[in-house]
């Protein structure tokens, strides 16, 4: 095809993708507005109480889990509740609500988590008036970051600016700050429950570990395989996380993206060995990659990561983008796709040097040969004098990207947030535009497991 023809095809695909996205939004918003109006009318007629909204803005599921727990406490008191992700709530729904409880985390540099980014862009950017609403905010964060609870604070300030009535001061929880969470439970009137984290953690035995990048100039990357020390392999889905609580540091559990599926018969991880500036091993990665002997055990729990599961996207073509240890989350999806016999997969993966940094290369080559990967692109940042990353490749392949999106593809991004995650997001916005990215997000077609 000539360059001109490619351009024309690309432009047509862009228009098609965008038109598809707009129609989707229009239909969804109209349906929602009608449903809200209907519900409000029905409630007014019956004298029934409008449900308390429990709204969460979450990335890896902690705010979501707390929102469901909060809803459970309210239900136990006989209160009608509706739990919903912030990205799924519309202005009319908020306007017709009487009470809303918000649980929201913060990501990046004080940014909204992905589960609230559409709400941030579309609702919080407007000067709404919510005089009939009573609200409370529970902000989740980590004091190690400069913008502690940045999004939760911004959400609280925006709600106050709408004229809504603040029931309680914004509560800020640093990691698993049990005192703050207890205060929240107390305010809601909930009963203390046994900790889910303790209940769900089981002992995992280290079966094998292998360095995937010997001689690499970067930090060592390991493939780690574990099985339950006793009993059956628990269930999980591609996209889920496993959480390791390091002895001596219970306040800061570490998450790892699961790189295998249960059908593999073992839990596999891809773990980068971290080192502190003084040379000490990272607490969790050191355990997994060095200090725990093969045959030894450690407690971990599986964390459903609904935001990074396939869900409805199982029926769509997949564009998988990542770097470094981020191959873990993408590999689990590819193993599932291979099992399902779905071959409309495009993997775009970045590492440093082609000579040493080729994790899982035999498997990727096999998938390419067998057609499980319709498209495979590897980008090595340091093979040439100028740095080249996956986002550069995405920009170069912008027409194909738009064509895949026009086919209804979903985009999954896994790996480092700084550099890769933010670079891919910027490239996507440059290629498709902010409105289309917001729409992809709203449709659940843009998912990220970035850290
Ligand atoms: C959703 C999610 C998924 C993840 N998936 C993966 C994955 O698949 N693979 C993977 O390898 N990692 C993954 N991670 C990262 C992982 O959770 C850990 O953060 C990582 O392994 C480092 O933990 P550590 O205990 O080894 O290091 P830590 O001991 O926590 O140290 C981490 C770094 O922070 C610095 N540091 C820590 N404490 C201090 C201090 N007091 N002062 C100065 N500097 C300090 C150190 O320089 C060190 O390099 C994921 C993270 C998230 C949030
Ligand atoms: C990559 C990354 C970036 C983060 N950035 C911030 C931040 O800027 N400010 C903050 O207070 N917390 C930050 N956090 C901490 C999260 O907000 C906190 O862990 C929260 O409990 C996560 O909840 P969630 O799983 O619902 O998203 C960050 C966490 C990660 C992994």
């Amino acid at each position: 095809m000539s360059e001109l023809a490619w351009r024309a095809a690309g432009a047509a695909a862009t228009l098609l993708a965008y038109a598809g996205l707009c129609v989707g939004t229009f239909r969804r918003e109209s349906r929602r507005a009608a449903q809200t109006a209907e519900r409000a009318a029905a409630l007014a007629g019956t004298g029934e109480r409008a449900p308390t909204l429990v709204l969460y803005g979450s990335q890896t599921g902690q705010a979501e889990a707390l929102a469901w727990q909060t809803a459970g406490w309210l239900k136990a008191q006989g209160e009608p509740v509706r739990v919903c992700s912030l990205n799924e709530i519309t202005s009319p729904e908020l306007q017709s609500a009487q009470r809303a409880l918000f649980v929201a985390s913060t990501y990046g540099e004080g940014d909204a988590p992905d589960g609230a980014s559409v709400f941030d862009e579309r609702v919080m950017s407007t000067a709404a008036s919510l005089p009939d609403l009573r609200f409370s905010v529970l902000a989740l964060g980590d004091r190690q970051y400069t913008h502690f609870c940045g999004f939760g604070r911004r959400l609280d300030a925006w709600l106050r600016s709408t004229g809504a009535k603040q029931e309680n001061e914004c509560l800020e929880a640093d990691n698993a700050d049990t005192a703050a969470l207890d205060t929240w439970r107390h305010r809601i009137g909930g009963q203390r429950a046994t900790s889910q984290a303790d209940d769900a953690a089981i002992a995992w035995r280290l079966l094998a570990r292998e360095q995937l990048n010997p001689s690499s100039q970067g930090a060592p990357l390991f493939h780690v395989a574990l099985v339950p020390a006793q009993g059956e392999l628990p269930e999980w889905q591609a996209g889920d996380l496993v959480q390791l609580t390091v002895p001596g540091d219970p306040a800061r559990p570490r998450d790892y993206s699961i790189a295998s599926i249960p059908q593999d018969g073992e839990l596999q991880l891809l773990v980068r060995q971290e080192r502190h500036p003084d040379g000490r091993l990272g607490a969790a990665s050191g355990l997994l990659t060095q200090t725990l002997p093969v045959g030894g055990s450690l407690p971990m729990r599986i964390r459903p990561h609904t935001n990074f599961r396939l869900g409805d996207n199982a029926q769509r073509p997949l564009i998988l983008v990542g770097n470094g240890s981020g191959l873990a989350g993408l590999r689990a999806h590819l193993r599932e796709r291979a099992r399902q016999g779905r071959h409309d997969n495009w993997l775009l993966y970045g590492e440093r040097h082609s000579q040493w940094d080729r994790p899982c290369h035999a498997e990727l080559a096999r998938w390419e040969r067998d057609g499980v990967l319709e498209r495979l692109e590897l980008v090595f940042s340091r093979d040439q004098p100028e740095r080249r990353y996956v986002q550069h490749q995405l920009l170069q392949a912008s027409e194909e990207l738009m064509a895949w999106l026009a086919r209804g593809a979903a985009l999954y991004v896994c790996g480092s947030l700084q550099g890769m995650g933010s670079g891919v997001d910027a490239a996507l916005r440059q290629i498709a535009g902010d409105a289309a990215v917001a729409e992809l997000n709203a449709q659940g077609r843009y998912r990220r497991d970035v850290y």
Side-chain angles (χ1 to χ4, degrees):
M1 215 193 302
S2 72
E3 197 186 331
L4 204 64
W6 266 120
R7 286 220 180 126
T14 307
L15 268 177
L16 205 63
Y18 190 66
L21 291 171
C22 291
V23 169
T25 319
F26 179 74
R27 285 208 186 121
R28 210 177 40 254
E29 299 289 326
S30 311
R31 213 167 34 234
R32 280 259 177 77
Q35 281 168 351
T36 306
E38 255 173 46
R39 241 192 330 260
L43 287 175
T46 59
E48 215 180 292
R49 269 187 300 162
T52 294
L53 297 177
V54 182
L55 304 174
Y56 58 87
S58 190
Q59 185 77 35
T60 69
Q62 300 186 52
E64 182 179 353
L66 273 163
W68 283 102
Q69 201 172 24
T70 303
W73 293 329
L74 293 172
K75 273 192 196 151
Q77 296 161 57
E79 197 165 324
V81 228
R82 182 177 159 222
V83 184
C84 181
S85 161
L86 271 170
N87 276 355
E88 283 166 11
I89 201 87
T90 59
S91 295
E93 284 171 317
L94 215 47
Q95 259 145 14
S96 63
Q98 288 160 9
R99 187 179 186 220
L101 305 175
F102 296 81
V103 187
S105 68
T106 290
Y107 271 77
E109 317 240 315
D111 300 332
D114 286 348
S117 59
V118 176
F119 183 83
D120 190 12
E121 272 181 60
R122 292 190 178 164
V123 182
M124 281 171 66
S125 60
T126 60
S129 174
L130 303 168
D132 301 326
L133 185 72
R134 290 178 291 124
F135 76 95
S136 296
V137 175
L138 170 61
L140 304 187
D142 182 334
R143 281 194 197 278
Q144 288 198 344
Y145 292 92
T146 318
H147 304 279
F148 175 57
C149 289
F151 176 67
R153 286 176 184 174
R154 202 150 50 76
L155 174 64
D156 187 74
W158 176 79
L159 284 163
R160 279 184 278 123
S161 78
T162 65
K165 288 173 202 67
Q166 192 185 39
E167 282 183 341
N168 291 292
E169 231 174 54
C170 176
L171 193 60
E172 297 172 352
D174 180 17
N175 278 312
D177 175 356
T178 47
L181 299 183
D182 275 350
T183 306
W184 177 256
R185 179 176 54 79
H186 212 71
R187 284 180 181 174
I188 309 295
Q191 295 296 312
R192 185 188 293 278
T194 52
S195 157
Q196 274 191 350
D198 295 343
D199 290 346
I202 62 165
W204 291 84
R205 185 162 52 82
L206 179 63
L207 266 190
R209 96 177 127 221
E210 182 196 358
Q211 188 176 349
L212 298 175
N213 59 349
S215 311
S216 172
Q217 293 174 15
L221 180 68
F222 285 85
H223 178 271
V224 177
L226 304 117
V227 287
Q230 283 179 337
E232 306 251 303
L233 196 67
E235 278 300 313
W236 73 85
Q237 287 184 30
D240 285 351
L241 300 165
V242 76
Q243 192 168 67
L244 166 61
T245 301
V246 182
D249 191 5
R252 211 160 62 84
R254 314 301 199 272
D255 288 320
Y256 292 92
S257 315
I258 301 177
S260 58
I261 52 177
Q263 287 78 5
D264 293 323
E266 55 190 37
L267 183 93
Q268 299 172 10
L269 309 174
L270 302 183
V271 183
R272 181 78 68 190
Q273 188 175 84
E274 296 271 352
R275 280 202 188 263
H276 293 247
D278 64 6
R280 277 181 307 123
L281 280 173
S285 64
L287 250 177
L288 288 165
T289 63
Q290 190 160 316
T291 22
L292 182 73
V294 171
S297 301
L298 44 71
M300 297 197 299
R301 71 178 184 110
I302 287 174
R303 280 217 307 130
H305 192 191
T306 43
N307 191 42
F308 203 65
R309 286 181 174 180
L310 282 189
D312 295 344
N313 291 330
Q315 305 311 320
R316 296 179 178 278
L318 284 190
I319 307 166
L320 305 159
V321 182
N323 70 336
S325 57
L327 185 59
L330 307 180
R331 179 178 183 255
H333 284 312
L334 283 169
R335 292 188 73 83
E336 180 60 25
R337 298 285 273 193
R339 198 177 75 84
Q340 303 269 342
R342 274 208 77 136
H343 291 180
D344 41 358
N345 306 306
W346 171 5
L347 175 65
L348 174 48
Y349 174 68
E351 252 292 352
R352 276 194 180 180
H353 290 108
S354 55
Q355 195 179 346
W356 304 291
D357 304 310
R358 287 181 163 272
C360 310
H361 63 278
E363 189 175 37
L364 298 187
R366 194 181 68 240
W367 279 335
E368 192 180 26
R369 203 179 50 238
D370 298 350
V372 172
L373 281 170
E374 198 175 307
R375 219 181 139 109
L376 170 65
E377 276 158 321
L378 301 176
V379 182
F380 295 99
S381 58
R382 301 184 187 206
D383 269 4
Q384 58 288 311
E386 75 289 354
R387 295 278 197 270
R388 211 181 129 62
Y389 300 111
V390 284
Q391 55 267 38
H392 300 132
Q393 180 56 31
L394 207 55
L395 284 170
Q396 203 167 321
S398 59
E399 286 168 6
E400 291 90 333
L401 176 75
M402 291 310 291
W404 276 63
L405 292 178
R407 276 167 67 190
L411 176 65
Y412 280 68
V413 182
C414 191
S416 55
L417 173 60
Q418 281 183 351
M420 196 278 299
S422 50
V424 167
D425 190 75
L428 189 61
R429 285 172 193 279
Q430 194 178 324
I431 296 165
D434 287 344
V437 174
E439 190 43 36
L440 279 175
N441 227 325
Q443 292 180 3
R445 288 169 57 195
Y446 179 27
R447 310 287 189 104
R448 305 196 307 164
D449 174 7
V450 286
Y451 44 90

